[in-house]
Amino acid sequence: MYHKINFFKFKKLIPIALIFLVSNQADAKGFTVSYPVFSQVNETISGNVTDQEGSPIEGAKITVVETGATAATDGSGNFAILANIGQTLSISYDGYVLQMVKISGTSVSVKLQSKKAATSIEEVTLVGYGTQKKSDLTGAVSQLKAENFKEGMNISVDNLMQGKIAGVRIVQSSGEPGAGVNVSIRGIGSIRSGSTPLFVVDGVPLSNDAVSATGPNIGLGNAQAKNPLNFLNTSDIGSITVLKDASAAAIYGARGSNGVVLVTIKRGKKGEPLFTYDTYLGFSSVIKKLDLLTANEYRAAGIDKLYDHGGNTDWQDEIYRNAVSSNHSVSFSKSTDTGNYFASLSHMDQDGIVLNSNFKRTTARLNAEESFFDNKRLKIKLNLTASDIHETGIPNGANAGSDGQVIIHALMANPTRSVYDQSGNFTNFNMPAHYNPLYLLSVYNDKTNTFRVLGNTEATLRILPGLNYKFNLGIDKSMSERKTTMYPNLTDRTPAGLFVQANFQSYNVLLEHYLTYDLSLNKHNFSLLGGFSYQKFKATGTYYGVKNIAKQGVGVPPDINPGSSGDPIIPAPGYAQENELQSYFGRVNYNFDKKYLLTASIRADGSTRFGKNNKYGYFPSVAVGWTISNENFMKGIQMINELKLRGSWGQTGNQEVPNKITQASSALSQAAGYYLYDNLNLVNGVEVYRTPNPDLKWEVVEQTNIGVDFSLWKNKLYGSLEYYNKTTKDPILNIPSGPLSLTPTVWKNVNAQIVNKGFEFSLGAEIIKNENFTWNFDVNGATVNNVVKNLPVSQVLSGEISGPGFSGVTANIYKNGYEAGSFYMYHYLGIDANGKYIYEDVDGDGVIGQNDKKIFEGAIPNFTFGINSYMKYKKFDFAFSFIGQTGGYLVNNTALDLNINSLASDRNVLKNFYDSGASFTNQPQLSSLYLEKSDFIRLNNVRLGYTFDISQLKFLRSINLYVSAQNLFTITSYTGYDPLVDTNKQVGGNQSLGIDYTTYLSAKTFILGATVKF
């Protein structure tokens, strides 16, 4: 049984809140005695502050001139303050003209006028459980708004960040539509607990676990679950905020070690209601083709005349296609004096560039906020997303071995073979473990349907001016059904046919209570937060299937009616997983005179995933900042508009481990049985599968960060510089157990460290800005140096290699003194006079064996960068972005399968192997011959648009037509399809890094689109 956490009673917070309130009110008296009319205040004045365009201003300071009482506006620009009618309010906000307003009633509405263009350092930024002005931030926080997102075909929110934020690396695990994406922030910090950050959508933390069914292995490898973030319509996203350092992320405690990504959905703005229609049509093709032998080159090789089958086929052209995609999205937004609304409906239909692959998604979204009671005392928000996704997959499982993937079959296929025989049927290769790829596609069918609903309601009650109680209830529920059919076929992979249906459901419920209190006393500004969070996760899965099914085209297909033919089977047992997380958190933000800043936070997390001796983990952080530009001695320096120095330290956790691993696991089995009685009947014995460890606890990441934010020359140049040192402690491993243990391995925290440290920079410039022409340019970059220390075992291996004869061969090694996931293989030296491969004999014994393997640099690039530019000339707009990396390596496992010895077995090879003069009899080994640099620079996106003048049409606001291109070109020395790839080849749950095995390649896409606003 899992450890049950008692439900939190909110009433326990009430006496604490009252003591907190009384103590602060008492302290305030000492600062207000100089105002003689303070005791006369007897009205609550509410109001709203916006800019000239009607957008709410958060963080504006409201002061009653006669009493000195202060308040600040919230995220909707609203405020409440105690004052008398007839008194005067002073409204101030950096970058805007100070405004004085006479109070004539209990409601006030103010529009501030900008005195200069707002810079990035003045923006309001989302942080955990609240917002802050960027000028008040002390942690490493980066924010993207909708206008920063690249235009293009983006299925998932993580794609929107690519190349936009320093230190955030986005890598495709596959180019298949809807496939998973690997996101890492500031390096790789864990061996087996993953490096994916925590995603929080409109206040609801999501689980990083799959939300769709995993395809069963029917002889072609397991088809991986799809990207859990692909359910959001990217057109709905208003902003993405990345919390990178421990000070910013510690408020999320046990799940913040890999960083936190906060996603917010668009909301209505002040002004007329806005109706928007977005649409595009996309055309995709392969980013490149591998250079294989053509039919004529294959014949000229003259290996064996029997291998010349008389055809002339480019098998890459046969399985790849020019794919067409479309997207339609409509949205409505409106803001009133008491609330705002946003609703959208969208449909995306994306064909993959490999035949038979497709992704279709329909989403509906509703965000609503309304205020109630006197002076907007109560505010209620509702956020709701529903998505229905239909995906069609191909046989391309990452763990399919050397012959279970359609892409490797296409690459290895003899180019002298024809697709069809003389009878018009698919040509039968008549070879074990090698099939006509078009035939393989024709007998395989894989369909996944996933319905997901994410919603939360948030209520905010203003108890007193500055004191608010917030309640957040969220639910994330998904239901997925995956139907996989392998029809009876001529291969040696389930030749009698098989149908399996995998059903999966996940459920995530969140309940949060928290209090916030904002207080300003002369130059002292406080913002306090304290709260409780409870979250429960549940996942269940079932399987059923039939074998010996009817031939394709005969009777009712099994995915429609499984009972129509075949013999029932249960291909795998069902399962259920459940865990809970109970948390207490608090934070203090202090600002003195807009010069000196302090942030301190702590979170206590209790989790059912860990042992009874370590149910709770505690994650503190502290950060300080100094706004140097606000010092008196800086006033005369005209070139510096903003300059802030900040530093932080904190701890976060990683709890991404399997459930119940702290508990013993055993079962009755015949293998452990014995003969107890004279009748010789075997009595089942107890077999132990897992040794308990009640001391297991979180991986802890300790991080130090030093940063500088600046804005120069009237905000023409702005940016930030960061240094970070991020150390993972107490990593969780399944390591060999000690003597007399019940099992050979045990889950344990080991006294090891994984260190990531480096520098980051983000620089932006407003190069030109006048009435007709605007040009903004920014560049970001990050370095990372990764090393493993104090690992108590000699090494940890991962990175399964696929290919004939490579069973059990791995490419990654975790070892002290080396980068996490470094490569471990033979050192290739060249080719001798007989065309034989030469490897370094490390131990000098004259035989190449295990002792001759060497450790090479790993997959983590030591420098990543992004370059982004936006220009607008009258009605034209033009934008482009580049991404790139240096210092990393990839194991080209695809090339290993296409080595020279394939010519000796009626298969094709890469042309460079044939041209190298290597002997056809060479037996391939995993060596540095297949280790290649992954350095590249890519034109990631380019866009040209034109906005039409439609002032004569009263019902239209604007029409913007644009053309866009993605992955237009890549400069790289890597010989595989794509240097930005990472196939999941983990072993024993340990992360694999930098292996490329017949990955579904990325596409080059051209888009025609339009945005119409009514």
Side-chain angles (χ1 to χ4, degrees):
M1 292 289 291
Y2 62 85
H3 176 74
K4 183 71 175 178
I5 296 178
N6 293 326
F7 194 80
F8 181 80
K9 303 295 186 182
F10 177 70
K11 63 184 182 182
K12 294 180 181 179
L13 273 183
I14 295 177
I16 299 174
L18 292 175
I19 295 171
F20 170 79
L21 176 62
V22 171
S23 64
N24 278 284
Q25 292 290 356
D27 290 342
K29 293 178 182 178
F31 291 92
T32 56
V33 292
S34 61
Y35 298 103
V37 297
F38 180 72
S39 60
Q40 301 174 12
V41 173
N42 55 17
E43 295 278 1
T44 298
I45 308 299
S46 64
N48 180 264
V49 179
T50 65
D51 60 18
Q52 289 296 106
E53 297 179 353
S55 298
I57 294 178
E58 181 176 7
K61 185 175 182 180
I62 316 299
T63 305
V64 181
V65 175
E66 290 80 1
T67 67
T70 61
T73 55
D74 61 17
S76 300
N78 299 321
F79 69 89
I81 195 168
L82 296 175
N84 277 337
I85 293 177
Q87 291 179 332
T88 302
L89 295 179
S90 168
I91 299 95
S92 63
Y93 185 72
D94 288 346
Y96 289 81
V97 177
L98 177 70
Q99 191 161 337
M100 310 294 284
V101 177
K102 195 80 169 178
I103 303 174
S104 58
T106 58
S107 181
V108 177
S109 182
V110 180
K111 282 190 175 183
L112 295 184
Q113 182 177 359
S114 176
K115 60 184 179 182
K116 60 180 180 179
T119 67
S120 60
I121 207 167
E122 295 167 345
E123 295 174 353
V124 172
T125 302
L126 190 68
V127 294
Y129 300 99
T131 58
Q132 279 185 284
K133 284 197 301 182
K134 191 170 182 181
S135 58
D136 293 338
L137 290 174
T138 51
V141 179
S142 298
Q143 185 178 61
L144 295 175
K145 293 188 176 181
E147 56 266 26
N148 303 125
F149 301 154
K150 66 179 184 180
E151 297 286 352
M153 193 156 55
N154 298 297
I155 288 181
S156 177
V157 58
D158 32 30
N159 294 120
L160 298 175
M161 298 186 290
Q162 193 166 49
K164 302 292 184 179
I165 300 176
V168 178
R169 186 168 181 250
I170 314 294
V171 182
Q172 294 282 136
S173 62
S174 169
E176 185 176 5
V181 175
N182 298 324
V183 181
S184 60
I185 300 175
R186 294 184 166 180
I188 303 298
S190 181
I191 296 177
R192 65 165 302 116
S193 298
S195 298
T196 303
L198 173 67
F199 285 85
V200 182
V201 179
D202 273 345
V204 180
L206 306 182
S207 168
N208 284 332
D209 295 330
V211 296
S212 63
T214 299
N217 189 344
I218 59 175
L220 301 170
N222 289 319
Q224 298 297 310
K226 303 298 184 178
N227 188 344
L229 294 174
N230 66 18
F231 74 105
L232 289 174
N233 173 23
T234 54
S235 297
D236 291 344
I237 296 173
S239 69
I240 298 174
T241 304
V242 180
L243 313 181
K244 293 190 284 188
D245 73 335
S247 171
I251 199 68
Y252 289 100
R255 293 173 291 176
S257 67
N258 295 320
V260 181
V261 179
L262 308 177
V263 180
T264 60
I265 306 301
K266 293 176 180 176
R267 299 189 177 276
K269 293 184 178 181
K270 289 285 186 180
E272 293 293 324
L274 178 63
F275 183 88
T276 304
Y277 172 59
D278 282 307
T279 184
Y280 66 71
L281 186 66
F283 305 89
S284 302
S285 58
V286 294
I287 197 170
K288 67 177 289 188
K289 289 167 56 179
L290 297 189
D291 192 10
L292 303 165
L293 293 182
T294 66
N296 289 335
E297 289 170 337
Y298 193 91
R299 291 187 182 95
I303 307 304
D304 191 323
K305 296 300 182 183
L306 294 176
Y307 296 167
D308 183 357
H309 303 283
N312 188 348
T313 305
D314 187 325
W315 290 98
Q316 293 183 87
D317 286 346
E318 295 297 331
I319 68 163
Y320 297 136
R321 65 180 174 183
N322 293 321
V324 179
S325 303
S326 63
N327 184 72
H328 303 275
S329 177
V330 293
S331 64
F332 171 80
S333 62
K334 178 178 174 61
S335 180
T336 67
D337 290 337
T338 58
N340 63 77
Y341 306 89
F342 176 85
S344 72
L345 181 67
S346 70
H347 178 74
M348 169 182 269
D349 187 346
Q350 181 181 352
D351 284 335
I353 57 174
V354 178
L355 293 174
N356 296 356
S357 56
N358 178 265
F359 176 90
K360 293 181 180 179
R361 179 185 64 202
T362 301
T363 65
R365 180 79 194 192
L366 175 63
N367 281 11
E369 179 181 344
E370 193 54 80
S371 301
F372 302 91
F373 304 143
D374 58 305
N375 300 312
K376 305 177 183 178
R377 182 175 294 273
L378 175 66
K379 290 191 297 183
I380 296 179
K381 294 181 181 180
L382 173 67
N383 307 305
L384 182 64
T385 294
S387 69
D388 185 33
I389 299 174
H390 295 254
E391 297 166 277
T392 303
I394 62 170
N396 212 52
N399 63 338
S402 63
D403 58 330
Q405 297 189 351
V406 68
I407 292 179
I408 196 63
H409 285 298
L411 296 175
M412 295 175 68
N414 187 328
T416 68
R417 290 188 183 272
S418 300
V419 178
Y420 303 99
D421 60 23
Q422 294 180 348
S423 301
N425 300 316
F426 286 108
T427 300
N428 185 355
F429 287 3
N430 290 314
M431 294 176 62
H434 185 42
Y435 327 118
N436 185 328
L438 276 298
Y439 174 70
L440 189 60
L441 282 172
S442 72
V443 297
Y444 180 86
N445 187 287
D446 180 44
K447 296 179 180 178
T448 304
N449 297 340
T450 303
F451 182 77
R452 186 174 186 181
V453 175
L454 173 68
N456 70 304
T457 182
E458 180 180 321
T460 303
L461 177 65
R462 188 178 70 250
I463 301 173
L464 290 170
L467 177 64
N468 293 283
Y469 159 68
K470 293 189 177 183
F471 168 78
N472 184 22
L473 174 64
I475 294 176
D476 180 12
K477 184 176 178 62
S478 68
M479 295 171 288
S480 181
E481 179 183 84
R482 189 165 194 160
K483 298 179 178 181
T484 306
T485 306
M486 187 71 170
Y487 287 100
N489 58 81
L490 300 176
T491 75
D492 52 359
R493 300 287 177 169
T494 57
L498 180 67
F499 167 80
V500 177
Q501 178 167 318
N503 301 310
F504 180 81
Q505 291 191 29
S506 66
Y507 179 74
N508 166 6
V509 62
L510 171 74
L511 179 64
E512 291 180 328
H513 306 273
Y514 53 102
L515 290 169
T516 61
Y517 186 53
D518 297 317
L519 177 67
S520 294
L521 302 170
N522 291 335
K523 296 181 179 181
H524 301 272
N525 300 284
F526 298 88
S527 180
L528 308 178
L529 165 73
F532 166 84
S533 176
Y534 170 81
Q535 197 163 9
K536 182 176 182 178
F537 305 89
K538 185 176 182 180
T540 60
T542 57
Y543 299 88
Y544 72 86
V546 292
K547 61 181 178 179
N548 301 322
I549 62 177
K551 291 183 179 181
Q552 192 171 14
V554 176
V556 180
D559 62 326
I560 297 177
N561 184 2
S564 62
S565 67
D567 303 321
I569 60 169
I570 301 176
Y575 62 92
Q577 296 285 337
E578 188 173 299
N579 68 88
E580 298 172 85
L581 192 67
Q582 176 175 274
S583 311
Y584 301 87
F585 54 88
R587 181 175 61 212
V588 177
N589 290 321
Y590 171 70
N591 176 336
F592 176 73
D593 198 22
K594 298 183 179 180
K595 297 178 183 177
Y596 312 112
L597 313 171
L598 171 68
T599 300
S601 70
I602 188 168
R603 181 166 178 134
D605 277 322
S607 174
T608 58
R609 284 185 168 178
F610 294 98
K612 63 182 180 180
N613 297 338
N614 284 302
K615 280 296 177 188
Y616 275 86
Y618 301 90
F619 306 96
S621 76
V622 63
V624 294
W626 177 25
T627 308
I628 303 172
S629 54
N630 287 343
E631 296 286 358
N632 291 332
F633 62 79
M634 295 290 293
K635 298 300 182 183
I637 304 177
Q638 298 297 319
M639 66 170 287
I640 299 178
N641 305 108
E642 307 279 357
L643 180 61
K644 180 173 65 175
L645 178 66
R646 45 188 171 76
S648 68
W649 171 91
Q651 292 183 334
T652 50
N654 191 342
Q655 66 147 16
E656 296 302 317
V657 295
N659 293 320
K660 301 182 181 179
I661 61 173
T662 63
Q663 303 173 30
S665 176
S666 60
L668 295 175
S669 72
Q670 289 185 349
Y674 52 93
Y675 297 97
L676 181 62
Y677 306 107
D678 293 337
N679 58 11
L680 299 181
N681 290 333
L682 182 67
V683 177
N684 289 339
V686 176
E687 186 170 358
V688 179
Y689 298 109
R690 186 170 58 227
T691 298
N693 180 7
D695 296 322
L696 195 71
K697 60 183 179 179
W698 283 273
E699 293 184 350
V700 175
V701 173
E702 184 172 288
Q703 188 171 176
T704 302
N705 192 91
I706 299 173
V708 177
D709 300 322
F710 59 89
S711 179
L712 309 174
W713 295 296
K714 297 183 179 180
N715 310 311
K716 291 293 185 182
L717 178 66
Y718 47 87
S720 63
L721 306 174
E722 310 273 356
Y723 167 78
Y724 66 91
N725 190 317
K726 174 182 172 183
T727 302
T728 300
K729 300 179 178 180
D730 301 323
I732 301 171
L733 292 176
N734 191 18
I735 63 173
S737 54
L740 303 179
S741 296
L742 296 173
T743 58
T745 61
V746 62
W747 290 91
K748 190 176 180 181
N749 295 97
V750 298
N751 186 26
Q753 296 181 351
I754 303 174
V755 180
N756 291 277
K757 56 185 178 181
F759 292 90
E760 297 173 351
F761 66 88
S762 298
L763 300 175
E766 189 179 78
I767 299 175
I768 300 174
K769 185 174 183 180
N770 56 46
E771 184 178 353
N772 292 323
F773 188 36
T774 299
W775 182 12
N776 295 323
F777 185 88
D778 70 75
V779 59
N780 65 80
T783 68
V784 62
N785 181 279
N786 179 286
V787 66
V788 177
K789 296 181 178 180
N790 304 324
L791 196 64
V793 294
S794 60
Q795 61 192 32
V796 175
L797 302 176
S798 188
E800 178 186 16
I801 292 298
S802 297
F806 286 98
S807 178
V809 177
T810 57
N812 291 132
I813 187 171
Y814 295 83
K815 191 176 180 67
N816 287 328
Y818 295 93
E819 177 184 304
S822 293
F823 295 118
Y824 186 49
M825 59 188 64
Y826 298 118
H827 184 195
Y828 171 77
L829 298 177
I831 300 173
D832 66 16
N834 298 317
K836 294 293 185 179
Y837 290 145
I838 305 171
Y839 305 103
E840 182 180 356
D841 185 4
V842 176
D843 61 8
D845 64 356
V847 179
I848 301 300
Q850 287 295 317
N851 294 334
D852 296 311
K853 289 186 176 181
K854 298 182 67 174
I855 298 178
F856 295 84
E857 291 184 71
I860 304 172
N862 54 35
F863 180 61
T864 57
F865 62 91
I867 302 171
N868 305 281
S869 177
Y870 174 79
M871 286 173 270
K872 184 175 182 180
Y873 176 71
K874 294 184 178 179
K875 301 293 184 181
F876 288 94
D877 61 270
F878 177 70
F880 65 84
S881 65
F882 285 89
I883 59 172
Q885 66 183 38
T886 62
Y889 287 80
L890 283 175
V891 171
N892 192 340
N893 195 172
T894 305
L896 186 60
D897 247 13
L898 298 172
N899 206 310
I900 190 65
N901 71 326
S902 291
L903 282 176
S905 55
D906 203 4
R907 293 174 171 88
N908 205 356
V909 299
L910 288 169
K911 191 173 184 297
N912 65 328
F913 286 138
Y914 178 76
D915 292 340
S916 68
S919 171
F920 307 147
T921 61
N922 280 338
Q923 292 302 310
Q925 298 274 11
L926 176 61
S927 71
S928 58
L929 172 62
Y930 310 102
L931 189 62
E932 302 183 43
K933 286 188 175 182
S934 62
D935 300 356
F936 76 90
I937 182 170
R938 169 176 293 167
L939 180 54
N940 201 40
N941 187 75
V942 61
R943 179 190 189 276
L944 175 64
Y946 183 83
T947 302
F948 288 89
D949 183 3
I950 38 77
S951 57
Q952 65 274 19
L953 299 176
K954 295 183 179 180
F955 64 92
L956 278 179
R957 295 192 184 187
S958 66
I959 299 176
N960 181 264
L961 300 182
Y962 65 89
V963 293
S964 177
Q966 289 177 266
N967 295 340
L968 199 57
F969 67 81
T970 302
I971 301 173
T972 182
S973 62
Y974 182 63
T975 62
Y977 278 128
D978 189 349
L980 192 62
V981 68
D982 192 2
T983 309
N984 182 6
K985 304 287 284 183
Q986 65 175 0
V987 174
N990 300 317
Q991 284 196 86
S992 65
L993 299 171
I995 299 177
D996 177 11
Y997 181 58
T998 61
T999 303
Y1000 191 120
L1001 67 164
S1002 300
K1004 178 168 54 179
T1005 302
F1006 295 90
I1007 294 172
L1008 300 175
T1011 300
V1012 185
K1013 295 182 178 181
F1014 299 88

